Amino acid sequence: DTVLTQSPALAVSPGERVTISCRASESVSTGMHWYQQKPGQQPKLLIYGASNLESGVPARFSGSGSGTDFTLTIDPVEADDTATYFCQQSWNELTFGSGTKLEIK
Amino acid sequence: QVQLKESGPGLVQPSRTLSLTCTVSGFSLTSYGVSWVRQPPGKGLEWIAAIWSGGSTDYNSALKSRLSISRDTSKSQVLLKMNSLQTEDTAMYFCARSIITLGYYVMDAWGQGASVTVSS
């Protein structure tokens, strides 16, 4: 299985820029996608194919990376961005990262 | 408006079989795939299985021997069966519309989830 490693948690202030990282145990090309999950809700697709913004998602969200290292950037962060962010790869059998919990101070 | 809604028994006894239904609206199962994903309490997401627009299926290799995914296009429903349930199968089970875009498999719309507790 392709293991995806994410930092467990981050805390930032509104208006700041935040980067959330995801490292794959082997290359997934650009087959990395990002989801946002707010407490008590279902996940929501934000970014697909490493850097493509899903329709309807604010342009404050962006993604980058290829191979094994990927980043989700939120700039500027808003209070409503409090959530857990999961990366997911679909280059090999589909797997998710363990999630990064983002707190807005 | 794309919608997915999961339904299931809520509580299942250990060693029994879980049956979950995903009822979709706003799109056709002959045009889109549907996946199942689960999330144990306080933990991350685990992909379980998918059924594609043509009817082909994919399974998580670690769970494959316990799984069956099927669909009833006339009812717009996708069915998941998982046998030999154990307490570690306790989770929220989500169904999600699945598409292949840029050659990659993503889930672009999700249901609210069905809670499943495995307990005697």
Side-chain angles (χ1 to χ4, degrees):
Chain A
D1 285 4
T2 303
V3 176
L4 303 181
T5 301
Q6 297 184 247
S7 298
L10 288 171
V12 298
S13 299
E16 291 185 346
R17 178 177 185 266
V18 65
T19 59
I20 297 170
S21 64
C22 177
R23 174 164 286 177
S25 60
E26 56 189 325
S27 176
V28 299
S29 186
T30 54
M32 187 66 76
H33 324 294
W34 292 92
Y35 298 84
Q36 176 194 64
Q37 187 179 33
K38 295 183 178 180
Q41 295 187 17
Q42 67 271 49
K44 173 187 173 184
L45 177 65
L46 298 175
I47 300 286
Y48 62 92
S51 60
N52 298 275
L53 191 68
E54 171 70 352
S55 176
V57 174
R60 302 184 292 106
F61 293 87
S62 63
S64 63
S66 66
T68 60
D69 291 296
F70 298 86
T71 299
L72 171 70
T73 300
I74 312 172
D75 186 15
V77 165
E78 298 181 357
D80 188 53
D81 298 332
T82 296
T84 300
Y85 294 83
F86 293 95
C87 54
Q88 173 237 313
Q89 66 81 22
S90 57
W91 183 252
N92 303 306
E93 183 173 297
L94 198 153
T95 53
F96 288 91
S98 54
T100 297
K101 188 172 184 178
L102 179 64
E103 176 195 346
I104 312 302
K105 301 176 196 173
Chain B
Q1 180 183 2
V2 172
Q3 291 187 317
L4 303 96
K5 185 172 178 61
E6 305 87 348
S7 56
L11 179 66
V12 181
Q13 292 182 329
S15 79
R16 303 297 293 266
T17 296
L18 171 66
S19 294
L20 292 170
T21 300
C22 176
T23 303
V24 309
S25 59
F27 68 96
S28 171
L29 294 178
T30 58
S31 297
Y32 290 88
V34 170
S35 298
W36 287 95
V37 175
R38 69 180 179 179
Q39 185 171 37
K43 296 190 177 180
L45 301 165
E46 180 181 33
W47 173 73
I48 300 170
I51 187 164
W52 296 102
S53 57
S56 62
T57 58
D58 285 312
Y59 295 100
N60 181 317
S61 57
L63 300 170
K64 186 174 183 177
S65 63
R66 302 169 52 204
L67 296 173
S68 173
I69 189 170
S70 61
R71 67 183 185 180
D72 185 334
T73 56
S74 66
K75 294 182 179 178
S76 294
Q77 291 181 333
V78 173
L79 311 173
L80 179 73
K81 291 186 185 295
M82 178 184 294
N83 60 31
S84 304
L85 252 62
Q86 301 300 321
T87 54
E88 53 264 34
D89 295 311
T90 293
M92 185 71 75
Y93 285 74
F94 297 99
C95 61
R97 189 175 78 167
S98 301
I99 61 172
I100 296 180
T101 182
L102 302 178
Y104 298 120
Y105 170 176
V106 297
M107 289 163 275
D108 72 341
W110 295 63
Q112 292 190 324
S115 180
V116 173
T117 300
V118 181
S119 175
S120 54

